């Protein structure tokens, strides 16, 4: 009984369970360890890369995201606003994959060919295939959602009398 009161007092004081705090502290410890390892070799270059990446993202990419999002919303029209996430999610995942694998997709770094064991020409096609699968999956989810809504709408309608 005392353990339950202590846990309840902890939850009131902290806001979550002790397990959540333990996991949070463990993640901070892991991030700290990774940071120390990362900064051990050339901390100035790593710090410059992080600052540059943050500035590039905030000053260049975020406005581009916003412009593209507004364009898609206008193309869909005001009446179809609920469809936007079926385009946003696969586009965001595809762009994230492009960002991570850009040197291989653009064939700018030939030294990775020996590490991957694949010729440079396969990465663009595979990224396009993954992008197509992401959009096809999103379209399938939209189709399922639309068919469920139609079925529930027809069930709610009163029967017609002839």
């Amino acid at each position: 009984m005392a353990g339950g009161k202590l846990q309840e007092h902890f939850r009131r004081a902290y806001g979550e369970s002790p397990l959540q705090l333990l996991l949070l502290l463990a993640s901070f410890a892991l991030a700290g360890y990774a940071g120390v390892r990362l900064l051990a070799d050339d901390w100035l270059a790593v710090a410059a890369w992080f600052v540059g990446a943050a500035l590039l993202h905030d000053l260049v990419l975020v406005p581009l995201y916003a412009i593209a999002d507004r364009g898609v919303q206008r193309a869909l029209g005001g009446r179809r606003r609920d469809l936007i996430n079926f385009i946003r999610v696969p586009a965001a995942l595809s762009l994230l994959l492009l960002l991570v694998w850009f040197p291989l997709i653009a064939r700018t770094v030939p030294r990775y060919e020996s590490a991957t064991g694949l010729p440079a020409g396969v990465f663009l096609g595979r990224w396009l295939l993954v992008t197509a699968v992401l959009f096809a999956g999103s379209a399938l989810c939209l189709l399922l959602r639309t068919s469920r809504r139609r079925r529930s709408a027809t069930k709610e309608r009163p029967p017609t009398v002839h």
Side-chain angles (χ1 to χ4, degrees):
M1 202 59 157
K5 283 188 176 188
L6 181 63
Q7 188 171 5
E8 184 61 35
H9 178 70
F10 183 84
R11 185 178 292 272
R12 250 186 279 119
Y14 176 64
E16 285 293 329
S17 72
L19 179 62
Q20 193 268 351
L21 178 63
L22 181 66
L23 290 173
L24 183 66
L25 291 173
S27 68
F28 280 139
L30 182 63
Y33 171 75
V36 167
R37 294 287 308 249
L38 182 66
L39 296 173
D41 294 333
D42 189 7
W43 67 270
L44 187 61
V46 172
W49 186 87
F50 271 109
V51 170
L55 288 175
L56 174 73
H57 179 265
D58 293 349
L59 298 178
V60 176
L61 295 179
V62 168
L64 288 176
Y65 302 153
I67 290 168
D69 190 57
R70 294 262 170 111
V72 170
Q73 285 182 15
R74 281 195 183 132
L76 289 175
R79 57 188 164 77
R80 301 303 308 237
R81 283 192 84 112
D82 59 333
L83 300 179
I84 191 71
N85 287 333
F86 289 98
I87 297 170
R88 281 180 183 158
V89 171
L93 291 173
S94 176
L95 289 173
L96 179 64
L97 288 172
L98 177 64
L99 181 66
V100 170
W101 297 105
F102 184 77
L104 293 173
I105 292 169
R107 300 180 193 175
T108 58
V109 185
R111 70 174 182 261
Y112 286 119
E113 288 182 31
S114 61
T116 61
L118 297 170
V122 301
F123 295 103
L124 176 62
R126 289 181 180 187
W127 174 72
L128 290 172
L129 179 64
V130 168
T131 299
V133 167
L134 287 170
F135 276 97
S138 182
L140 180 64
C141 289
L142 176 62
L143 183 67
L144 291 172
R145 178 180 173 201
T146 305
S147 68
R148 281 189 202 142
R149 280 188 176 175
R150 284 188 182 153
R151 269 190 258 143
S152 67
T154 53
K155 287 180 182 178
E156 291 174 3
R157 273 192 282 164
T160 59
V161 178
H162 294 293

